[in-house]
Amino acid sequence: MPQRYSLEPVIQESTPSIIARKLRYAIAHGEVAPGSQLGEAELARELGVSRGPLREAMQRLTQEGLLVSIRNRGLFVIEMTDAEIRDMYVLRTAIESAACKLLVRADHVAAGQDLLAKVSEMEKAAGTGDRAAMSDADMAFHEHLVALSGSRSLARIHSTLMTETRMCLTVLQDSYRVTEEWIAEHRGIAEAVLGGDGPLAESRLSDHEDDALARLTSTPASVSVG
Amino acid sequence: MPQRYSLEPVIQESTPSIIARKLRYAIAHGEVAPGSQLGEAELARELGVSRGPLREAMQRLTQEGLLVSIRNRGLFVIEMTDAEIRDMYVLRTAIESAACKLLVRADHVAAGQDLLAKVSEMEKAAGTGDRAAMSDADMAFHEHLVALSGSRSLARIHSTLMTETRMCLTVLQDSYRVTEEWIAEHRGIAEAVLGGDGPLAESRLSDHEDDALARLTSTPASVSVG
DNA sequence: CGCCTGTCAATTGTTTACAATTCTAGCGCA
DNA sequence: TGCGCTAGAATTGTAAACAATTGACAGGCG
């Protein structure tokens, strides 16, 4: 059959998937506060679905670690302590470092240029002074870094980490400052990738994550994973 | 209140949790073949639960990546291609490397001795010639490595990876050979940790993972993440 | 004979209702 | 005041029924 129109296959997203995505977004953007309870009946009414699919979606988020379940009491949005945020950054640094390793072994020139483009977008966002745009650009850089590595495994883990990161950023939005230094760190990583210097890229990435972590937590990270 | 007995908090595991654990075990140990379909009605009857909690458990496994869902058709156990196994090992190496980094920054002497004890258990298992015991000991070493790091994040990801690894080992059980070299690799890692040499430990770990990967896949890994 | 199409059985997806368990809060009582 | 008990409310688990979709198969048409 001639493919006259460029038709993409119709993806029938399952209802639990849709619910999970909406809930993830709501949690990440602070529409539901950390520690607050998600009542089944209320949520089901709000979303216009029945309890079955809703519970399936909740189980997914529980598996991701975004919700904690207390039996016969309900599901609650996680509250991350400083220690847990530090621990999350350990994992995040591990994932992104691995992505860097893969990148420099592949087409690091194209990847580096791609990342530099993201840095430009960050500068643009910084120029407008829009907080949301700045953090969006920040996260876009890191998501792109992992996506360019081509690893599905890394991308999957990373996406859940970015949700948690976004949640932390939303909570501590006031303390989120974009400095020249902040953009320079990203550019440094991109340039190291461009040059194919894996160890340098990883080192800069690790330092960058430590800085980001220090901005998120009250006490500085005592042990770095870099 | 004086803690006279070392009482752990009573954890009332939810039904979906139990189901998920049982299914995970069954998949990991080859009781359900990769690619096979899991019928809701049949499984529910077999496990003695209703479809509700069963579906919730399935969603968890889907989120973990152990099952793939085809809408209106059912859930199937994943079939991993060589490329996917390689990709999984990229992630696994990233996780365990990060654990190594944490280990050498903490009490690396105690950790190293602990790991050497695991190596002894491996030798014992190798002496009996019991295939299951050998792979158990192998996986116990790696799980211990991550557990000793004290990172909940790393441990959580790693546990799902070990399930997938176990599945691969079960499928290709015949080609699983334990050699002197295999034990020596583990001892090398443990000794590097004991000596507090992070880079050496990571390097040896990476080489070890590459070897393990080469045993699992038909074609050798073209790109290492180490 | 080959291809398309309509029907049918099977399975999943969703909703609803109800029973069971457990936590919380309030009350009475020593 | 402190304790135990009880009623209410919430979640959790179960069951049944219905809707929706898929894949297969038989039959008609060119």
Side-chain angles (χ1 to χ4, degrees):
Chain A
M1 181 168 62
Q3 192 169 342
R4 293 195 290 179
Y5 318 99
S6 69
L7 292 177
E8 295 178 3
V10 175
I11 43 159
Q12 284 277 24
E13 199 178 7
S14 73
T15 305
S17 270
I18 299 172
I19 300 172
R21 187 157 39 78
K22 282 180 179 290
L23 282 179
R24 225 168 298 171
Y25 185 92
I27 293 173
H29 290 75
E31 295 171 18
V32 289
S36 62
Q37 183 173 8
L38 300 181
E40 278 191 356
E42 179 191 344
L43 258 183
R45 211 175 341 105
E46 216 167 305
L47 292 169
V49 296
S50 62
R51 279 179 51 217
L54 177 64
R55 286 177 61 85
E56 291 174 30
M58 307 268 250
Q59 289 290 334
R60 284 169 87 129
L61 297 190
T62 301
Q63 186 66 27
E64 289 179 29
L66 251 54
L67 302 178
V68 290
S69 166
I70 304 180
R71 212 183 131 96
N72 291 316
R73 284 243 287 159
L75 290 153
F76 301 82
V77 181
I78 52 163
E79 289 179 287
M80 296 188 78
T81 64
D82 276 7
E84 286 165 336
I85 294 177
R86 268 199 296 278
D87 191 39
M88 181 190 80
Y89 265 77
V90 167
L91 176 57
R92 184 176 157 184
T93 304
I95 299 294
E96 298 193 10
S97 291
C100 269
K101 280 203 181 76
L102 291 177
L103 274 188
V104 298
R105 277 167 179 71
D107 188 353
H108 58 260
V109 175
Q113 289 170 342
D114 220 338
L115 289 174
L116 282 175
K118 291 287 170 189
V119 175
S120 299
E121 290 179 19
M122 287 203 287
E123 283 179 318
K124 201 190 304 176
T128 67
D130 180 2
R131 282 270 165 78
M134 290 190 289
S135 55
D136 281 350
D138 182 6
M139 294 180 57
F141 177 92
H142 292 276
E143 280 188 327
H144 215 65
L145 175 71
V146 176
L148 285 171
S149 77
S151 167
R152 308 271 297 181
S153 308
L154 294 181
R156 193 153 56 98
I157 306 298
H158 193 256
S159 74
T160 79
L161 290 178
M162 292 315 271
T163 302
E164 295 182 6
T165 301
R166 162 73 74 184
M167 187 179 71
C168 294
L169 287 180
T170 302
V171 171
L172 308 174
Q173 200 171 21
D174 297 333
S175 64
Y176 188 76
R177 295 262 158 64
V178 173
T179 62
E180 292 298 325
E181 180 190 14
W182 173 80
I183 291 180
E185 283 179 7
H186 285 88
R187 180 175 288 114
I189 296 167
E191 284 171 349
V193 170
L194 180 66
D197 190 337
L200 179 62
E202 283 186 64
S203 164
R204 285 178 173 172
L205 177 65
S206 176
D207 290 344
H208 169 63
E209 305 272 8
D210 284 349
D211 285 353
L213 181 56
R215 278 196 292 267
L216 279 180
T217 62
S218 45
T219 59
S222 58
V223 173
S224 146
V225 77
Chain B
M1 180 167 63
Q3 190 168 342
R4 294 194 291 179
Y5 318 99
S6 67
L7 292 177
E8 294 178 3
V10 176
I11 42 160
Q12 283 278 27
E13 201 176 9
S14 72
T15 304
S17 270
I18 299 172
I19 300 172
R21 187 158 40 76
K22 283 180 179 290
L23 283 180
R24 224 169 292 163
Y25 185 92
I27 292 172
H29 290 74
E31 295 171 20
V32 288
S36 63
Q37 182 173 9
L38 301 181
E40 282 187 17
E42 180 190 344
L43 259 182
R45 208 172 346 105
E46 215 167 305
L47 291 169
V49 296
S50 60
R51 282 176 62 203
L54 177 65
R55 286 175 62 87
E56 292 175 30
M58 307 269 248
Q59 290 290 332
R60 283 170 89 129
L61 296 191
T62 302
Q63 186 65 26
E64 289 180 30
L66 252 53
L67 302 178
V68 290
S69 167
I70 303 180
R71 211 183 136 96
N72 293 313
R73 284 245 286 157
L75 290 153
F76 302 81
V77 182
I78 52 163
E79 289 179 287
M80 295 187 78
T81 64
D82 276 7
E84 286 166 335
I85 294 177
R86 268 199 296 278
D87 191 40
M88 182 190 79
Y89 265 77
V90 168
L91 176 56
R92 184 175 157 185
T93 304
I95 298 293
E96 297 193 10
S97 292
C100 269
K101 281 202 182 76
L102 291 177
L103 274 188
V104 298
R105 276 168 179 71
D107 189 351
H108 58 259
V109 176
Q113 290 171 342
D114 219 337
L115 289 174
L116 282 175
K118 291 286 169 189
V119 175
S120 300
E121 291 180 19
M122 287 203 286
E123 283 178 318
K124 201 190 305 175
T128 68
D130 181 1
R131 282 270 166 79
M134 289 189 290
S135 56
D136 280 350
D138 182 8
M139 294 180 57
F141 177 91
H142 291 276
E143 278 188 328
H144 215 65
L145 175 71
V146 176
L148 285 171
S149 77
S151 167
R152 308 272 296 180
S153 308
L154 294 181
R156 192 153 58 96
I157 305 297
H158 194 256
S159 73
T160 79
L161 289 178
M162 291 316 269
T163 302
E164 296 182 5
T165 301
R166 163 72 74 184
M167 188 178 71
C168 293
L169 287 181
T170 302
V171 171
L172 308 174
Q173 200 169 21
D174 297 333
S175 64
Y176 189 76
R177 296 261 160 65
V178 174
T179 62
E180 294 297 324
E181 179 192 16
W182 173 81
I183 292 181
E185 283 179 6
H186 286 89
R187 181 176 288 114
I189 296 168
E191 285 172 349
V193 170
L194 180 65
D197 189 337
L200 180 63
E202 282 185 65
S203 164
R204 286 177 173 172
L205 177 64
S206 176
D207 290 344
H208 170 62
E209 305 273 7
D210 284 349
D211 285 352
L213 181 56
R215 278 196 292 267
L216 279 179
T217 60
S218 46
T219 57
S222 59
V223 174
S224 145
V225 78

